[in-house]
Each structure stands twice: as C-alpha cells, then as structure tokens.
Amino acid sequence: MFTHVCTACAKRQLIFPSQVTAVAESEQGPVATFTCWCGAEQSAPYGLAPATSRKVVLAA
C-alpha cells in the first residue's frame, strides 16, 4: 500500500495492492502500474530500498 498523487484527478490517494495491474523493471528499479480511484491508469516507482546486510546480535 502506498500513496500517489494522480496526474488525472490531482488527488493524493491511497493505492492498495488490488489496484496494481503490473510491475515492470526499469533503469530506476521496479515500477508499478495501477488504476487510480478515478479510473485513470497511473505508474510510479516502487521505491524499494536496496537490501543491506545487517549484523544480528542475539542476547543470551
């Protein structure tokens, strides 16, 4: 789930996974295509952070 400002209706809307119609790879990373609440097809980068290794410390 993410927010998006629609280029058709100019409203900031909450986009749910059920609205996503496709995901494609681009030079900037994954891009989601989805249908806005107004019915307009939109696309936006997923903005996923790159995976980083983390040191896990377990308390005894």
Side-chain angles (χ1 to χ4, degrees):
M1 181 166 56
F2 58 95
T3 61
H4 177 75
V5 177
C6 179
T7 59
C9 67
K11 292 182 180 177
R12 184 177 182 168
Q13 302 281 2
L14 226 129
I15 305 301
F16 291 91
S18 60
Q19 292 170 271
V20 176
T21 56
V23 176
E25 187 64 33
S26 74
E27 291 180 12
Q28 293 80 27
V31 174
T33 301
F34 53 92
T35 304
C36 177
W37 292 95
C38 72
E41 185 174 283
Q42 301 284 295
S43 62
Y46 259 165
L48 300 174
T52 58
S53 61
R54 296 181 182 165
K55 183 178 180 181
V56 177
V57 177
L58 300 175

